[in-house]
């Protein structure tokens, strides 16, 4: 390496060391207070060291009744029960809603395989306990014997190892332009891990140029220095609608082949603003590694506690920080009460001279032994002197006051902690619990913001990490897994949440491109109960609905069984699905076709039956008319016959008159 390169590298090392000192100085107050809160709450270091030493030397009690853990666990476990979930949404015309579902399932699989729930829980517990916690996003090989890369979400167990950008004011780390992550290794471990390091002699003059923290008796400080810089980037639009950076286009052999063959063409070019993120691994004496990062965000996300700014300086405080004095008071007064009661002298007997001469041994042990009787001399029996318990009672009352002060400063009362309090009705208890949840909700809300930023980082990395044809495992909300082909260059069946190819209303298989390298996607976060909790609540609500409205049982039977924790619940749900009259469209296509044919035949038979009924009605009408005509003719004939009979009678009458007339 020539002198010019050496000088440039040394200047960069000096610059990096200076940036670390600035970051460390900006965060010193928060680190100091956070460490005090952590030791106070977790290690129970709640007495000043000089008082502890003095009391122990005098043989006096030093009690620590740590109430902080209860409040911390209440907030942390509430956040665990209401775990936010990442949802991906399509943004531009190149994005696809079906592909957004693949993003969702892929992110759930990333969270599952990398135990992201532990990272989230650790971060929020650090925020509640010491005022700040962090989550990391990384990239690593899928398996030991594979070349495919996967994204992972890791926990930061030591939040004091992170030194964020002192100039950033964002709440989720999205605008950080630099960040340090430090780790102290023993000198032996450092030499084993960085065998190619140039400066392994810790007496070298280069170490003296660095601050004393970089190397000491505890070991060597190794730092990751993350930097994000704004850069100009040339982008191109190809004829198939995809957008690439010109650098990626030139490096991609497949794209170059397609361009040479004329399969695709460059339609437009322009310069845009982008970000380049780099990782520099260094000690105080040299730069060990320099790596480029695939995304545009620094992959470290903060989870803050109580955040506020005073004269331009940001402060982060824990949940228990304002309650520390009340906790100290509680410890002091409980210790005082214990000391007054335990160390108070035994109440003596008072009597005249000579009263205790009889059976002296029994009288001398009467304060600790139970004797069957005590004898005395004299006219009056000895009387025990009463104990002055006022001081101990006052100390206990002060301890109760201090306990109430702890609750009021934190904002969580007995109802929030599951203990009985003044409330008697269920509504009053729930109202007080809500007050406690509202008082500490900013911790859970800050975790939601952080997980949203984790989602943005992962979505930003997916096109770079999963940019080749692959078959990925994706997970549904219920944890069911299925395999989904991506980046195949052609439409493939879209696998639904049930792990089977999704079908449209006509029974046709839904096809989609699922090209993870195309389109813009955004992230939203849904905070609420976990899937298991929501499933249990849904089962309880559906059961109540069926009780109040039994007619809904055929419709709700299948979803109710799915939300139960029975063995073979899914099989039972499938059988109950057949009883649901609204699920015809969910039957197999061949069954739906047969049912449609049956319905059509029924409609035809119904129409023919109606025609026959109409024809029969018409025929009956004609028959009735003919019968009426026949009846009319018959009546006419009878009428003619009656006329003829009348004519015959008339002729007979006329003949009689002619015979009887006088000649």
């Amino acid at each position: 390496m020539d002198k010019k390169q050496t000088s440039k590298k040394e200047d960069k090392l000096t610059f990096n060391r200076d940036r670390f000192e600035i970051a460390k100085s900006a965060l010193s107050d928060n680190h100091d207070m956070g460490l005090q809160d952590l030791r106070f709450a977790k290690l129970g270091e709640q007495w000043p060291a000089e008082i502890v030493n003095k009391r122990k030397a005098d043989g006096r009690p030093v009690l620590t009744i740590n109430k902080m853990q209860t409040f911390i666990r209440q907030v942390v476990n509430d956040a665990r029960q209401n775990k936010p979930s990442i949802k991906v949404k399509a943004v531009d015309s190149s994005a696809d809603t079906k592909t957004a579902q693949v993003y969702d399932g892929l992110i759930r699989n990333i969270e599952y395989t990398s135990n992201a729930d532990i990272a989230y829980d650790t971060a929020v517990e650090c925020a509640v306990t010491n005022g700040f916690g962090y989550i990391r996003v990384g990239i690593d090989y899928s398996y030991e014997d594979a070349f495919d890369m996967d994204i992972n979400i890791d926990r930061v167990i030591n939040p004091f190892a992170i030194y964020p950008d002192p100039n950033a004011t964002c709440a989720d780390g999205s605008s950080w332009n630099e960040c340090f992550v430090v780790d102290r290794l023993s000198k032996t471990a450092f030499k084993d891990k960085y065998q190619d390091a140039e400066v392994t002699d810790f007496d070298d003059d280069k170490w003296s140029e660095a601050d004393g923290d970089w190397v000491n008796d505890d070991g060597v400080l190794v730092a990751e220095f993350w930097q994000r810089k704004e850069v100009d980037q040339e982008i191109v639009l190809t004829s198939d609608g995809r957008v690439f950076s010109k650098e990626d286009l030139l490096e991609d052999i497949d794209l170059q082949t397609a361009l040479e063959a004329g399969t695709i063409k460059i339609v437009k070019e322009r310069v845009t603003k982008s970000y380049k993120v780099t990782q520099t691994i260094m000690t105080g004496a040299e730069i060990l590694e320099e790596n480029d990062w695939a995304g545009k965000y620094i992959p470290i996300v903060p989870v803050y506690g109580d955040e506020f700014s005073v004269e331009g300086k940001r402060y982060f405080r824990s949940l228990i920080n304002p309650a520390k004095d009340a906790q100290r008071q509680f410890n002091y007064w409980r210790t005082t009460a214990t000391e007054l009661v335990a160390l108070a002298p035994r109440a003596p007997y008072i009597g005249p001279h000579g009263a205790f001469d009889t059976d002296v041994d029994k009288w001398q042990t009467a304060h600790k032994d139970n004797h069957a009787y005590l004898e005395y001399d004299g006219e009056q029996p000895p009387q025990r002197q009463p104990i002055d318990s006022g001081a101990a009672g006052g100390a206990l009352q002060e301890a109760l006051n201090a306990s109430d002060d702890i609750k009021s400063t934190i904002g969580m009362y007995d109802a929030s902690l599951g203990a009985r309090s003044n409330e008697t009705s269920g509504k009053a208890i729930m109202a007080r619990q809500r007050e406690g949840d509202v008082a500490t909700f900013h911790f859970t809300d800050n975790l939601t913001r952080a997980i949203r930023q984790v989602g943005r980082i992962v979505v930003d990395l997916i096109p770079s990490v999963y940019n080749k044809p692959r078959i990925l495992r994706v997970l549904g909300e219920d944890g069911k897994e299925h395999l989904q082909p991506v980046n195949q260059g052609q439409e493939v069946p879209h696998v639904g949440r049930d792990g089977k190819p999704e079908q449209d209303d006509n029974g046709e298989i839904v096809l989609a491109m699922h090209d993870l390298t195309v389109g813009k996607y955004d992230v939203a976060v849904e905070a609420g109960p976990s899937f298991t909790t929501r499933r249990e609540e849904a089962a309880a609500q559906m059961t109540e609905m069926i009780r109040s409205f039994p007619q809904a049982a055929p419709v709700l039977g299948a979803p109710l069984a799915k939300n139960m924790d029975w063995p073979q619940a899914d099989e039972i749900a499938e059988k109950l699905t057949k009883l649901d009259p609204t699920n015809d469209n969910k039957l197999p296509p061949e069954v739906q076709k047969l049912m449609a044919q049956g319905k059509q035949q029924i409609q035809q038979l119904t129409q023919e039956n109606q025609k026959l009924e109409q024809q029969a009605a018409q025929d009956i009408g004609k028959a009735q008319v003919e019968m009426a005509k026949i009846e009319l003719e018959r009546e006419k004939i009878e009428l003619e016959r009656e006329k003829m009979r009348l004519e015959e009678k008339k002729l007979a009458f006329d003949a009689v008159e002619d015979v009887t007339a006088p000649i």
Side-chain angles (χ1 to χ4, degrees), residues 129-176:
T129 306
N130 51 260
F132 48 87
Y134 299 93
I135 305 167
R136 287 198 66 164
V137 179
I139 302 174
D140 201 355
Y141 288 105
S142 303
Y143 304 99
E144 292 83 357
D145 56 351
F147 290 94
D148 289 333
M149 307 293 287
D150 272 338
I151 300 170
N152 49 66
I153 300 171
D154 302 319
R155 73 168 179 166
V156 177
I157 195 170
N158 178 19
F160 300 95
I162 308 292
Y163 294 85
D165 188 346
N167 298 317
T169 58
C170 59
D172 56 7
S174 57
S175 66
W176 285 2

Side-chain angles (χ1 to χ4, degrees), residues 18 92 96 115 119 121 124 132 172 181 266 284 294 399 490 542 658 661:
D18 291 342
D92 63 1
D96 178 56
N115 295 319
D121 294 342
V124 72
F132 48 87
D172 56 7
V181 183
I266 296 177
Q490 60 184 358
M542 284 189 282
D658 291 340

Side-chain angles (χ1 to χ4, degrees), residues 496-627:
R497 295 179 178 178
D498 57 356
K500 301 177 182 178
E502 189 174 297
Q503 299 176 351
D504 58 18
D505 295 337
N506 298 323
E508 300 292 334
I509 294 177
V510 177
L511 299 177
M513 284 293 294
H514 294 326
D515 190 342
L516 303 184
T517 65
V518 175
K520 301 294 182 184
Y521 296 89
D522 199 2
V523 172
V525 172
E526 293 182 0
S530 64
F531 181 82
T532 302
T533 304
R534 285 186 282 126
R535 182 182 63 185
E536 294 171 353
E537 291 179 355
Q541 295 292 338
M542 284 189 282
T543 302
E544 290 299 321
M545 186 172 182
I546 291 175
R547 286 176 182 172
S548 59
F549 186 57
Q551 293 85 345
V555 177
L556 295 179
L560 176 60
K562 282 185 178 180
N563 286 291
M564 292 294 187
D565 287 328
W566 302 334
Q568 299 180 336
D570 291 338
E571 290 82 351
I572 296 172
E574 289 181 5
K575 294 179 180 179
L576 291 174
T577 302
K578 299 177 181 179
L579 302 178
D580 186 353
T582 66
N583 279 344
D584 289 345
N585 60 337
K586 297 181 181 179
L587 297 174
E590 58 273 11
V591 177
Q592 293 185 35
K593 187 175 181 180
L594 291 173
M595 291 182 65
Q597 293 175 353
K599 288 181 180 179
Q600 188 176 3
Q601 292 176 358
I602 291 173
Q603 290 177 355
Q604 292 176 352
L605 291 173
T606 302
Q607 292 174 358
E608 293 177 1
N609 187 40
Q610 290 175 352
K611 290 180 180 179
L612 290 173
E613 289 179 351
Q614 291 175 359
Q615 186 65 39
Q618 293 176 359
D619 294 342
I620 291 172
K622 290 179 180 179
Q624 289 176 345
V625 171
E626 293 296 328
M627 290 294 294

